[in-house]
């Protein structure tokens, strides 16, 4: 979309309708954040009170299998988003999640395992639907901040789960307590709200999707809902020119097309980035925060572990909110570099504290700082960067490998903590973060300030008879549009 900055001489040229669309779609991130966070306060109770005879490895597997579900969801997300649309895709996933929440509350290990696999499918679907929808619907002047909505709502979902977790019984002998079932059922409330909103209120796909699907009337209707008439016309012209240049590849590209020019290099880079970020340990901390704190620095006979889990959620939310301002003025690559360095430093400090080189009492603060830093940097930017350099099929493919990495981390890390020591998983996380530091310094390119089509051609320029989008920003297109308008006015004057 166009790069038009809002100022006193150039008032805002889009309506509040776009914010309603953005917040409605981001409810998917709120749900997946809640689904991940609900594990932390309930896992120990499930292991010791609900399923005391089930091996620990199997209960760890019920958490890890969520990542396999994410893999499946990522595979099917792109075909669904392409065939049925982003909005309908979100509606399908919400209906699916309503049924899954009911299954999640059944007190049998088989149902727990199946439901968490299905929750993973929901997360995998929305890790594609939500960032792509937000990226396509957002006006350029708020695109950076809008891109952080996934991370903000993700951290808000975590905080909500941690707050509800404070109601869990403190005694594992309280077998009659059903609060854990309420928490699992609550996971269906948010998808229900979004389903109703998308079904009855917000009935439009992103304009660029409608245009590339041949529905120009729907494209114009969506643009008129979001922009002023003059700006809507300008946006339509940019969509028309841009879609011609990339030959509809951003919506029609398949998995097979991703391994050819122009996307092959961007696919490898994007896939490695999100996969490596999984090994920084953020998923392990969100799913096992309470257990980590109880095993390392918080006593079992008070609420300190639960309180610090809530503080982790609060700091994650604060980090996400701060990120929306930082991203507007700072490059994506710079933020990714800082985030990788931050996670590596936190892992090193955590290891030092487990070996008593630092006080064990400061360990809980390192966990808090780690999650704050993640949601300030890597959390929001990975979604933005991935959706900028890849079409939706590429985002889906990268999330497949990210899900596999998440499965490995969530299966191996708790076993390492249980049988080797708390230092073991964080050693793995520190090494992975160090690799990420090198990768972000020597491989990644900056996308800040580039148009949607420029980002798609960043790692392999798409040549056309009109433009080379590697070096052409939308400001160049605006200049050409201005020249056309001047030319048209000159013609009108001559005719007059």
């Amino acid at each position: 979309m166009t790069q038009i900055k809002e100022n006193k001489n150039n008032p805002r040229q889009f309506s509040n309708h776009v914010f309603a669309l953005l917040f409605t779609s981001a409810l998917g991130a709120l749900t997946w954040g809640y689904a991940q966070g609900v594990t932390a306060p309930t896992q120990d109770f499930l292991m010791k009170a609900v399923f005391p005879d089930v091996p620990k490895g199997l209960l760890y597997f019920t958490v890890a299998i969520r990542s396999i579900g994410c893999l499946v969801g990522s595979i099917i997300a792109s075909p669904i988003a392409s065939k049925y649309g982003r909005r309908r895709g979100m509606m399908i996933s919400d209906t699916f999640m309503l049924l899954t929440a009911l299954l999640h509350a059944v007190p049998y290990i088989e149902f727990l395992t199946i439901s968490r696999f299905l929750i993973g499918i929901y997360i995998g679907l929305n890790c594609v639907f939500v960032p792509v929808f937000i990226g396509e619907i957002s006006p350029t002047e708020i695109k950076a901040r809008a891109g952080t909505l996934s991370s903000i709502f993700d951290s808000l979902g975590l905080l909500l789960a941690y707050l509800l977790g404070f109601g869990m019984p403190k005694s594992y002998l309280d077998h009659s307590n059903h609060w854990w079932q309420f928490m699992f059922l609550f996971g269906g409330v948010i998808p229900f709200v979004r389903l109703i909103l998308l079904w009855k209120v917000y009935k439009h796909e992103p304009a660029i999707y409608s245009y590339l699907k041949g529905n120009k009337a729907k494209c114009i209707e969506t643009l008129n809902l979001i922009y002023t008439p003059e700006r809507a016309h300008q946006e339509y012209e940019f969509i028309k020119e841009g879609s011609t240049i990339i030959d509809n590849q951003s919506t029609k590209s398949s998995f097979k097309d991703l391994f050819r020019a122009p996307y092959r290099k961007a696919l490898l880079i994007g896939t490695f980035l999100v996969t490596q970020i999984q090994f920084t340990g953020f998923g392990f901390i969100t799913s096992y925060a309470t257990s980590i704190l109880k095993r390392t620095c918080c006593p079992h006979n008070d609420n300190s572990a639960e309180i610090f889990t809530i503080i982790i959620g609060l700091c994650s939310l604060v980090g996400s909110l701060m990120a929306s301002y930082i991203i507007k003025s700072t490059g994506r690559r710079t933020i990714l570099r800082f985030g990788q360095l931050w996670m590596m430093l936190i892992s090193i400090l955590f290891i030092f504290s487990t070996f008593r080189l630092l006080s064990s009492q400061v360990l809980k603060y390192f966990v808090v700082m780690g999650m704050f830093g993640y949601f300030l940097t890597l959390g929001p930017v990975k979604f933005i960067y991935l959706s900028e350099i890849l079409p939706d099929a590429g985002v889906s493919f990268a999330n497949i490998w990210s899900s596999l990495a998440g499965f490995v981390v969530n299966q191996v890390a708790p076993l390492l903590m249980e049988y080797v020591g708390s230092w073991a998983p964080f050693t793995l996380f520190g090494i992975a973060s160090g690799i990420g530091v090198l990768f972000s310094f020597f491989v990644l390119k900056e996308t800040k300030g580039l148009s949607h089509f420029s980002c798609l051609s960043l790692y392999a320029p798409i040549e056309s008879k009109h433009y080379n989008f590697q070096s052409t920003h939308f400001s160049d297109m605006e200049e050409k549009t201005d020249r056309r308008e001047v030319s048209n006015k000159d013609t009108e004057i001559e005719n007059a």
Side-chain angles (χ1 to χ4, degrees), residues 1 22 130-139 143 146-147 387 452:
M1 302 300 173
L22 292 171
V130 174
V132 169
F133 184 90
I134 289 175
E136 291 179 344
I137 209 76
S138 304
K143 187 178 288 290
S387 61
H452 175 66

Side-chain angles (χ1 to χ4, degrees), residues 96-106 119 184-189:
F96 177 77
M97 187 61 183
L98 287 175
L99 302 174
T100 301
L102 296 174
L103 196 65
H104 199 193
V106 179
I119 288 172
F184 289 171
L185 286 171
F186 189 81
V189 173

